[in-house]
Amino acid sequence: MTSTDPSRGAPAWRPSTSIDDLISVDDEGRALTEPLREDIRLLGGLLGDAIREHSGDDVFDLVEAARVAAFRIRRAEIDRDELADMFTDLDIDTAMPVIRAFGNFALLANLAEDIHRERRRAIHVRAGDPPQESSLAATYAKLAAADLSDADVGSALADATVVPVITAHPTETRRRTVFDAQNRITELMRFRGRTDLTSDEDAQVIEAIERQILTLWQTALIRLERLTIQDE
């Protein structure tokens, strides 16, 4: 998380460590993923601002210390035990904001990755590139290139086994407020990425995203009581 406003004090989650460690690529890959990096910096920064402003510096500092330690473990600079020691004597009320911070950051990072995949697909389509691997379009193209007859394809499919997986009804534990905020942030990020905004308009969009992230921070990610099928 990185503070989006220099006047608010020290940066939240510093991108020089967090983003580079999250996305390990060569120079060419770095250029392709830079929009993703920028989105994660923005969303992480807004989350950091919300934590600092609404939960205080002590909570923010603990989250930041845990984040830095986690990336030092990733780089093999410290042992996992050092991170565990940070929480050995913490009561649950003190540790809970750290859990919530990383849960929310993971949610926002996944959201940014989904938007980046949409962005890359659109670039490929506009460039007239061949269908991406593993897509249905790519599969159909391979079938066409293989010059197989309809009978050959039909025979292969006739021997295929398709088994549906039926599970018990999975009642959703995440709150509706979380889904609504997540969907709204996605819409705003898409709008920001596809529209040529003025600086004032961009600031308004970021402010709207900030409000949704504040809603996430002030809302428990999961319900304290499991819903029944009747409730749903």
Side-chain angles (χ1 to χ4, degrees):
M1 303 177 194
T2 305
S3 177
T4 56
D5 185 349
S7 66
R8 296 180 179 180
W13 283 23
R14 292 182 291 274
S16 60
T17 55
S18 62
I19 306 303
D20 288 346
D21 280 336
L22 278 172
I23 310 170
S24 300
V25 293
D26 55 21
D27 290 341
E28 181 179 359
R30 183 177 300 277
L32 295 176
T33 58
E34 185 56 32
L36 171 59
R37 294 166 183 271
E38 292 178 357
D39 286 348
I40 293 178
R41 288 188 188 101
L42 172 65
L43 296 173
L46 294 175
L47 177 59
D49 290 342
I51 294 172
R52 183 192 290 277
E53 293 180 10
H54 297 275
S55 297
D57 286 341
D58 289 344
V59 170
F60 171 81
D61 290 343
L62 181 59
V63 171
E64 174 67 2
R67 184 196 66 82
V68 171
F71 282 111
R72 291 188 66 193
I73 291 172
R74 181 184 176 93
R75 295 191 295 265
E77 295 177 359
I78 63 173
D79 189 83
R80 293 178 182 271
D81 291 341
E82 293 189 40
L83 177 58
D85 289 343
M86 292 175 55
F87 298 94
T88 299
D89 297 325
L90 290 183
D91 58 78
I92 187 63
D93 290 336
T94 304
M96 186 59 70
V98 180
I99 299 171
R100 293 184 59 239
F102 281 93
N104 278 293
F105 182 74
L107 184 151
L108 293 171
N110 288 338
L111 182 154
E113 290 174 357
D114 289 342
I115 292 173
H116 186 66
R117 280 192 289 269
E118 293 177 4
R119 183 188 297 126
R120 294 303 306 167
R121 280 197 297 269
I123 290 174
H124 285 299
V125 170
R126 287 195 296 268
D129 293 337
Q132 292 180 287
E133 287 295 323
S134 301
S135 66
L136 284 175
T139 301
Y140 294 147
K142 288 180 179 179
L143 284 173
D147 196 25
L148 297 173
S149 67
D150 292 345
D152 291 335
V153 175
S155 176
L157 292 177
D159 293 332
T161 300
V162 179
V163 180
V165 177
I166 301 175
T167 63
H169 187 276
T171 53
E172 179 56 60
T173 59
R174 282 192 294 174
R175 302 173 69 96
R176 176 61 181 270
T177 304
V178 173
F179 280 111
D180 289 344
Q182 183 178 354
N183 291 337
R184 183 58 180 151
I185 293 170
T186 299
E187 293 172 358
L188 289 166
M189 291 294 290
R190 285 171 177 160
F191 177 76
R192 184 171 182 263
R194 297 176 182 174
T195 308
D196 186 14
L197 302 176
T198 65
S199 57
D200 288 343
E201 291 170 337
D202 188 56
Q204 291 175 1
V205 174
I206 291 176
E207 184 178 351
I209 295 172
E210 185 174 20
R211 288 195 295 269
Q212 296 301 320
I213 290 178
L214 176 58
T215 298
L216 284 178
W217 180 245
Q218 294 181 333
T219 304
L221 284 177
I222 61 174
R223 299 177 183 274
L224 298 180
E225 296 182 0
R226 188 178 182 86
L227 288 177
T228 65
I229 295 177
Q230 288 79 5
D231 290 331
E232 293 188 347

